[in-house]
Amino acid sequence: MKKIFLIAILYAIFISGCFKDDCISTLKIYTPVYKSLTEVRANMKSLSPQPLQSTGKLYVYGKYIFLNELNKGIHVIDNSNQSDPKNISFISIPGNVDLAVKNNYLYADSYGDLAVFDISNPVNITVKKFLNNVFPYMNRYYWGSLTNPDSILVPVAFVEKDTVIHCNTYGGWEYGGCINCDALSSGSTPAYASLPSGKGGSMARFAVLKNFLYTVSVLDLSSFDISDASSPELKGTSAVIASNVETIYPFKDKLFIGTASGMYIYDASEASAPAQIGQFSHVNSCDPVIADDNNAFVTLRSGSKCAGYTNQLEVMDITTLTNPSLLKIYDMTNPYGLSKSGNWLFICDGKDGLKIFDAADVNNIT
């Protein structure tokens, strides 16, 4: 009997050892390197040109293009010779995704902050002001009552290290390749002086309309008074009815907001407090929107964070802004963004590339 019991114990030990061996994994651990917010802000200025690697939003202002490098900053490109654009400088802005320009001042997000830059000399751009934590959904470093930039730590880089662990080290769960993955993704890495503002794209989340800068987050619409372009003042933030707000497009005194569930139209005649006046709902999908006097154009795409399986262009009649109606649907492959110049409609249609349409007759776009 004792012999059977001893064999049972040895067998249990042997089996448990096998299970432990099966659960050994080699993962990458990314340890953040920190600097104070004061140090980070001191480096937010023009640097030498940098290579384009993972580009995002684009903004045209006079003869210059300001092109976001995702989470890292903004490339400044001299487009005087449109057949040979010149990359002339780079503005280091950690956590930058969106941008807009008015009167030689560039507005850019830096995680939860709004940074204001003087771009009157595009090769010597300097920061003029910060508005702290005005985009709380993007906040990465404000915690509790901490507000002193000298005391706030910002992750500026990550040290990579391969580490062997057992499953039970992390409660038996496999982590799929890295620990601190969220931290890694969050911090990865004068010719126009008379122009009032420039032009962003249909994927923009910043929009300048007259003397106001409007920004959208996942749930909110914020209004900044930029009458003094060098010193924006937050006037208000209001919730947008829909969730998953994606884009904002200004036209005349209206704001067209694209969300995962539909297009929303806001009247900005009361500039500090835009009010919703119309909406058009559609299936759940990502949907940038642009507009002209009579029509709004919305692209829906699948295979994105917005879910959905629809790939199409929807053309709306907006002659009655309080009651937009669907005119026609055009099939697409996987449309991302769009733009319109006169009767020409431009759509970035995924792997099919850039498509150019004659939209003189919106019921028969070719």
Side-chain angles (χ1 to χ4, degrees), residues 30-265:
Y30 294 90
T31 304
V33 177
Y34 292 97
K35 287 186 178 181
S36 73
L37 184 55
T38 299
E39 292 175 295
V40 171
R41 287 178 170 179
N43 199 45
M44 290 191 193
K45 58 186 178 182
S46 287
L47 305 174
S48 59
Q50 304 292 314
L52 278 60
Q53 295 178 329
S54 180
T55 55
K57 310 292 178 67
L58 178 150
Y59 199 92
V60 178
Y61 185 64
K63 68 177 185 179
Y64 293 98
I65 294 171
F66 295 87
L67 177 61
N68 160 253
E69 183 72 36
L70 196 59
N71 284 321
K72 293 183 177 180
I74 297 174
H75 301 278
V76 183
I77 299 169
D78 185 339
N79 197 36
S80 302
N81 180 357
Q82 295 179 359
S83 65
D84 187 25
K86 301 293 186 184
N87 190 351
I88 60 173
S89 66
F90 181 75
I91 316 168
S92 175
I93 314 172
N96 173 247
V97 178
D98 283 280
L99 63 157
V101 178
K102 184 188 177 187
N103 289 348
N104 284 345
Y105 288 93
L106 180 141
Y107 310 102
D109 58 341
S110 178
Y111 295 118
D113 299 337
L114 178 66
V116 185
F117 295 87
D118 182 343
I119 59 170
S120 53
N121 182 349
V123 294
N124 186 26
I125 292 171
T126 56
V127 68
K128 303 301 290 185
K129 185 173 182 177
F130 292 98
L131 275 67
N132 296 337
N133 205 23
V134 291
F135 308 122
Y137 287 101
M138 298 297 291
N139 173 30
R140 295 286 180 178
Y141 39 75
Y142 291 102
W143 305 107
S145 59
L146 199 61
T147 57
N148 183 353
D150 292 336
S151 304
I152 295 172
L153 297 179
V154 181
V156 295
F158 292 84
V159 177
E160 177 185 312
K161 181 181 178 182
D162 288 335
T163 303
V164 176
I165 66 168
H166 294 284
C167 293
N168 59 0
T169 304
Y170 290 93
W173 293 95
E174 289 286 352
Y175 274 76
C178 73
I179 299 171
N180 292 339
C181 296
D182 179 64
L184 176 69
S185 64
S186 70
S188 59
T189 71
Y192 52 76
S194 61
L195 295 175
S197 62
K199 187 173 181 61
S202 65
M203 306 293 282
R205 297 172 74 92
F206 280 24
V208 172
L209 187 60
K210 297 179 181 177
N211 287 323
F212 271 76
L213 168 70
Y214 297 99
T215 69
V216 291
S217 68
V218 178
L219 298 171
D220 296 332
L221 169 65
S222 296
S223 307
F224 297 85
D225 187 340
I226 53 173
S227 300
D228 178 356
S230 66
S231 184
E233 181 181 353
L234 177 62
K235 287 298 185 180
T237 297
S238 58
V240 177
I241 292 175
S243 61
N244 290 328
V245 177
E246 298 179 85
T247 63
I248 183 169
Y249 185 84
F251 184 73
K252 295 189 173 177
D253 61 349
K254 303 298 186 290
L255 299 170
F256 292 81
I257 296 177
T259 78
S261 59
M263 173 189 73
Y264 288 74
I265 304 173

